[in-house]
Amino acid sequence: FGAGRNKGGKVERSVARDSTEIAGNGCRGFWLGFPNAFGEDDVEITRSKALRNGGTGIAMQGLGCRAVLNESGGNLGAGVVSASSAGAASSDHLVAFNTLRDNKFYAWQSDVWEGVACPRPRVIGNLMELTRTDSAGLMLLNAQLGGVFAQNI
């Protein structure tokens, strides 16, 4: 599921699930933003569920992306990713009050492809339940300059 081609787009009360059976391994539940091609910024996903997908549950790339009050679990990637790449910078992401459980990689992950990691992320008040031995709560790149990481359990 992709939200696209606008500024301020919103995904609300939506479900992306079981993509491993439909599309094969590597399929994300939600992908929000794609700034290098379409100039998408300030996109938001709220009160949605990404469950049992073949890759990351919720992937965000752009300026000012927000993931608030979602559930992302049982995915074969991270629960939520703040992505960035050369020519498609991301910054100022808000990841707050989500339930992120049993994802293969991390509850929240900063990811970058040949560029600078997403600066100034705010990862606040998330429930991060880890049951897999190959998982961690937070994965940070380049010390996430200016980031706020608070009250995550």
Side-chain angles (χ1 to χ4, degrees):
F1 182 92
R5 297 191 183 215
N6 60 29
K7 291 184 183 286
K10 188 169 186 176
V11 175
E12 186 172 16
R13 298 184 192 279
S14 297
V15 176
R17 63 180 175 85
D18 300 317
S19 70
T20 53
E21 296 175 14
I22 298 168
N25 194 12
C27 186
R28 280 109 180 123
F30 295 93
W31 185 289
L32 292 101
F34 196 57
N36 58 337
F38 305 118
E40 297 171 341
D41 296 321
D42 298 317
V43 292
E44 178 177 338
I45 182 168
T46 184
R47 299 183 190 278
S48 294
K49 295 181 180 187
L51 306 171
R52 300 176 305 278
N53 293 292
T56 292
I58 301 170
M60 303 187 301
Q61 185 173 1
L63 306 178
C65 296
R66 298 173 301 281
V68 180
L69 294 170
N70 300 291
E71 180 181 350
S72 184
N75 299 295
L76 296 181
V80 177
V81 166
S82 292
S84 192
S85 64
S90 290
S91 70
D92 303 294
H93 286 190
L94 173 64
V95 179
F97 310 111
N98 299 289
T99 299
L100 310 170
R101 63 168 54 103
D102 195 31
N103 294 293
K104 180 153 176 70
F105 292 146
Y106 311 98
W108 174 83
Q109 174 184 353
S110 164
D111 199 4
V112 61
W113 179 259
E114 296 180 357
V116 177
C118 178
R120 297 179 305 278
R122 293 166 293 150
V123 182
I124 301 167
N126 298 286
L127 174 61
M128 300 177 175
E129 292 183 356
L130 308 174
T131 58
R132 296 174 183 244
T133 58
D134 55 349
S135 184
L138 300 170
M139 195 282 278
L140 311 175
L141 290 175
N142 300 328
Q144 295 306 128
L145 296 175
V148 175
F149 305 91
Q151 300 176 345
N152 297 292
I153 300 172

